[in-house]
Amino acid sequence: MSGSLRAADAPPAPQPAGQPGAQPVAQPASPAPAASTQDNSNPQTTADQSQAKQLETVTVTGIRASLQQSLETKRNADAIVDAITAEDIGKFPATNVAEALAQIPGVTLDRAFGATQRVSINGIDPSLNLSFLDGHPVSQASWLYGDSPNRGFNYSLLPPEILGSLEVYKSPEARLPEGSLGGTVIMHTIQPLDVPANTLSGSVGVNYNDMVDKSRPNASVFYSWHNDDKTFGVDVSAQHYEQKTDRQGQEIFSYTPVSAIAAANPAIAAQVAAGQLKGTDQMPTEINSADFQQTEKRSSVLVNLQYKPNDHFDSTLSLLYMTDRLDNLNVSMYPIAGFNYAGISHLTEGANGIVTSGTQVGTPCYNVTSCTSTAETFMDNDARSSFIRTKGIDWRGTYKGDGWRINGQVGVSTSNNTISQAFKELFYGGGFDWSTNKGFNFTDPSTANNPLYWADNNFGGNIGYKPYKARDEYGQFDFTYDFDGFFNNLQVGARYASHWESQSLLIDNVGVPNQTLTEIGYGGLTNLQGASSIGLTGSSVRHVQTLGFQSIYNAVLDGNTLSSNDPVDYWDNTFNVQQQNSAGFAQLNFGNDTVHGNLGVRFVHTKIDSFGYNVPSNCSTWDCAFPPGFGYVGSTSTSNDWLPALNVAWNITPDIILRGAGSETVAYAPYNELAPFFEANDTVLTATAGNPGLKPYRSVNFDLSGEWYFNKESVIAISGFYKNVLNYVVNAATTEGRQNGSWAELIQGSTGQMLVNNGMCTLAGFCQYSVSAPINGGRAKVKGAAISYQQAFGDSGFGIRANFTYSDSSTEAGGPLPYNSKDSYNFSPYFEKGPYSASIAYNYRSKYLAGGYVAGAPDSYTDSYKELDASLGYKFSDHVSVTFDALNLLNSVYKQYYGAQLTELANEYASGREYMLEAHFKL
């Protein structure tokens, strides 16, 4: 690894977005289930010609047909591979590709926002897996204001209707692109020459969430045509999907030691002296009733144009256009006991040294925008406009000669999103009681439920604009030469891939007027059913609210001339990173009736250019003069890696296969972590930062698998894996003094004064931040095993899929790796006979270490999670059918804690049950 520091030419200019408005909606669509078979010399192709011939003999249909196709892909692969088809997605409960992936052993999901975004494979961080669509990357811009970008593929943004099949490679091959420690997911769209001409299919439906008590429509259509000679074809898949999401629950941002409170509060000091409390006890700094509301509107169009004039040449041009509107409103109602110690009248100690309840006294203020009280409750309203636009063009082709073939692929993918957030923070000064089990309750409901007692408190709010862009460019060329004998062929190739990603942040914080809740727009009292379902009561469930998303934008923007005096947030959140990988490989494929596999090596040269602001700690104005070495600076790092890979499969009998694999792999930290950036929460003084000096992850891997195909559509498989990670990036917590970017507003209100009084900030706004930043963490190990069972029970119509995975990880420091659950399992019985079909899926994963999803959130442990889903279907004819899916029937609660002991609650959320009814047609 080498590196250099240099000044950059110019930073990306801030690009403010306008007020959110309506966007054009594309026509809906979705493809019919079909398996795509292509030449296996390209990364996007995994099924060889012999497999294609086997699949052509399948006569069963529906669930059993799809499971048989998936098993044939697994059985014939050289590497350790699992597969699913479009039928799996359609017949088992799933709203996106990730939920279908959960049926595969070793695949676990993270449900921080209800809809699945992140997928782990064999206990590895989702950012360390790779996902390709027809062999190429799909750029994805960040969707959430304040989210930490990562390399993990966001499956919630990809409509499942465009897929025909996918494979998960758990052991690498030299021909596959580098960058994965856990696994590589290769998704295939349907090719027009693989299905009958004039194939037309689609669906219309509605989805309903019982917690939101609202429904939204969805529809899809797929059409494929080719000429009579099957030399040219085109297919079009279009889709429109809407979903109403509401995540409700409770959040605790930090804990305060009782010793600090007792030093300033005689009443608490007396409790400590009486033995009712201990100085080491930890009190929740605040109890937040959280309500995240979002309406998603996703539209996509995918076009494949395939040209195959003869048996020698095959070419496909793919065009992808996708939009996803993800406007959301996050409302946080949090009484803060940890800001004004004088208002605390009593605390109650619970188990494990945690204070579980308390009382705060204070006096509310009527119809004013400046209030001082010993009790402080803030209602943060974050209205966020988010509209992602993704485009892609990809060309891939194959030319076959006599015993040789050439494959090529080239393309570009772009994604952008100018996220904006309008922010209003209302204040109430009345007293409250709080409990970690039941939430909080205001002492005087007559004032707490009156909008005239809620108002801005010397801070009118602001609006932030965060343009985010991503771009992928790639090109690949492969040559394959066939041999006669045990060694089947030799593949050599080269690949160039460039990924560029940038963001900036401009906050207009001057000119927003102070207003009362009545002036902003009073929306009555909430009735948070999700909060109630997890045991919260009183004011945590029923409290005042605004009129919603648009009222917040109107209050900030309408008739106001805004400007920014906050350069610090712009400097801290502006970065761009470009990673360029140049790779070459050679792979020798071998095999006979008993043994088959491959042996190869891949060389990759990686160059990473990262840019961001390096700002002196005393700079807080736009005209600050940067000394030499400061300002918008860049760094370059390079690395060279040789990556060998060996895969061997031994057919002990025609139905029993033993597999072994050994490899070296590299992966890379999330792009933002490679940039010199600093993203802060200026109220609670937490932050995340980047580190341009991060080295690539590097791992030595060994895999073993045994499979018994004891019947059609049936298998028992046992596998084991071991990963010796030679360098692993971990987050380290430090305290760093920096200028507070929001100090001009904070010092005008009680928040700034409390930060000064508590010694956390100076009067000039120089504050001590708790910073989470990545570092090269040294070695780590992951080891585990999985067992899977799949069987169709004769002609009864019944069948089952089940799997269990054990994964144990450790670092040199003794802790686990992020997202690694020791235990996970899936149990999925199904029935399909005649016109009827039904399936149930039960998933479980044990606790795991996971980072926060907003700026500065500390590492936390996610508690064990279980989910029960179900699906029913009825086929009226070969052309018309109907399905009913039910997800999260247990209304499972997503919980996170600070620390592995699971004693300090960080958050708990409920997202409700989701029901989908769809009618399908196929002509």
Side-chain angles (χ1 to χ4, degrees), residues 440-442 449 525-528 537-544:
F440 62 88
N441 198 34
F442 292 117
N449 294 340
L525 298 180
T526 63
N527 183 17
L528 304 182
T537 61
S539 302
S540 287
V541 176
R542 293 186 62 82
H543 52 254
V544 298

Side-chain angles (χ1 to χ4, degrees), residues 10 33-34 38 48 155 250 277 293 371 495 520 535 619 692 718 781 784 794 813 842 878 902:
Q38 303 178 29
D48 59 21
Y155 287 95
Q250 179 172 256
L277 295 169
Q293 310 163 30
C371 180
R495 181 177 187 265
I520 295 170
C619 278
I718 300 176
K781 294 180 180 180
Y842 180 82
D878 290 339
L902 306 188

Side-chain angles (χ1 to χ4, degrees), residues 505-678:
L505 176 64
L506 180 66
I507 297 179
D508 285 340
N509 57 346
V510 177
V512 183
N514 282 274
Q515 297 171 292
T516 65
L517 175 55
T518 302
E519 292 171 326
I520 295 170
Y522 175 52
L525 298 180
T526 63
N527 183 17
L528 304 182
Q529 300 178 30
S532 179
S533 71
I534 63 176
L536 302 184
T537 61
S539 302
S540 287
V541 176
R542 293 186 62 82
H543 52 254
V544 298
Q545 62 180 331
T546 69
L547 284 172
F549 177 90
Q550 198 60 51
S551 68
I552 303 302
Y553 268 94
N554 292 342
V556 173
L557 292 177
D558 282 2
N560 302 323
T561 301
L562 307 183
S563 62
S564 173
N565 66 354
D566 182 10
V568 176
D569 276 323
Y570 172 72
W571 296 329
D572 288 347
N573 294 277
T574 296
F575 71 83
N576 76 72
V577 175
Q578 182 181 20
Q579 177 174 330
Q580 300 176 77
N581 281 24
S582 302
F585 78 91
Q587 178 171 307
L588 184 63
N589 300 295
F590 56 84
N592 54 30
D593 292 340
T594 304
V595 177
H596 59 94
N598 54 67
L599 170 66
V601 64
R602 188 176 189 88
F603 173 79
V604 57
H605 172 75
T606 303
K607 179 185 177 183
I608 298 176
D609 296 299
S610 58
F611 300 89
Y613 274 97
N614 182 20
V615 181
S617 60
N618 60 347
C619 278
S620 60
T621 59
W622 288 105
D623 59 357
C624 182
F626 296 141
F630 289 86
Y632 194 67
V633 299
S635 65
T636 296
S637 63
T638 61
S639 62
N640 297 305
D641 296 287
W642 290 93
L643 307 173
L646 169 67
N647 291 274
V648 179
W650 176 27
N651 298 329
I652 299 175
T653 72
D655 297 323
I656 299 178
I657 301 175
L658 180 64
R659 303 179 191 272
S663 63
E664 286 193 40
T665 52
V666 293
Y668 308 92
Y671 298 105
N672 66 309
E673 291 188 358
L674 295 166
F677 89 106
F678 186 91

Side-chain angles (χ1 to χ4, degrees), residues 799-813:
I800 191 171
R801 289 198 298 183
N803 61 72
F804 172 82
T805 302
Y806 172 82
S807 180
D808 184 32
S809 67
S810 61
T811 65
E812 283 185 331

Side-chain angles (χ1 to χ4, degrees), residues 207-273:
N207 65 77
Y208 170 83
N209 186 292
D210 67 347
M211 196 172 79
V212 180
D213 196 23
K214 292 182 179 179
S215 60
R216 306 298 295 184
N218 64 80
S220 63
V221 64
F222 172 80
Y223 176 73
S224 182
W225 170 89
H226 60 70
N227 59 11
D228 292 340
D229 295 333
K230 294 190 71 173
T231 59
F232 178 74
V234 58
D235 64 33
V236 179
S237 170
Q239 177 250 20
H240 180 72
Y241 175 82
E242 296 187 16
Q243 183 180 36
K244 184 74 174 177
T245 301
D246 205 336
R247 187 189 71 172
Q248 300 173 7
Q250 179 172 256
E251 298 171 338
I252 298 174
F253 300 131
S254 62
Y255 285 76
T256 301
V258 167
S259 58
I261 304 170
N265 187 313
I268 303 305
Q271 283 192 266
V272 173

Side-chain angles (χ1 to χ4, degrees), residues 42-44 134-136 394-397 407-411 474-476:
N42 265 353
Q44 76 268 23
D134 287 327
H136 65 83
D394 173 78
W395 176 87
R396 54 196 179 274
N407 300 288
Q409 184 169 20
V410 63
Y474 53 90
Q476 178 159 332

Side-chain angles (χ1 to χ4, degrees), residues 45 67 201 204 302 318-319 435 450 480 488 585-586 656 697 850 868:
T45 62
L67 295 181
S201 64
V204 292
L302 175 74
S318 296
L319 305 172
S435 163
N450 186 336
T480 302
N488 305 145
F585 78 91
I656 299 178
Y697 297 75
L868 178 65

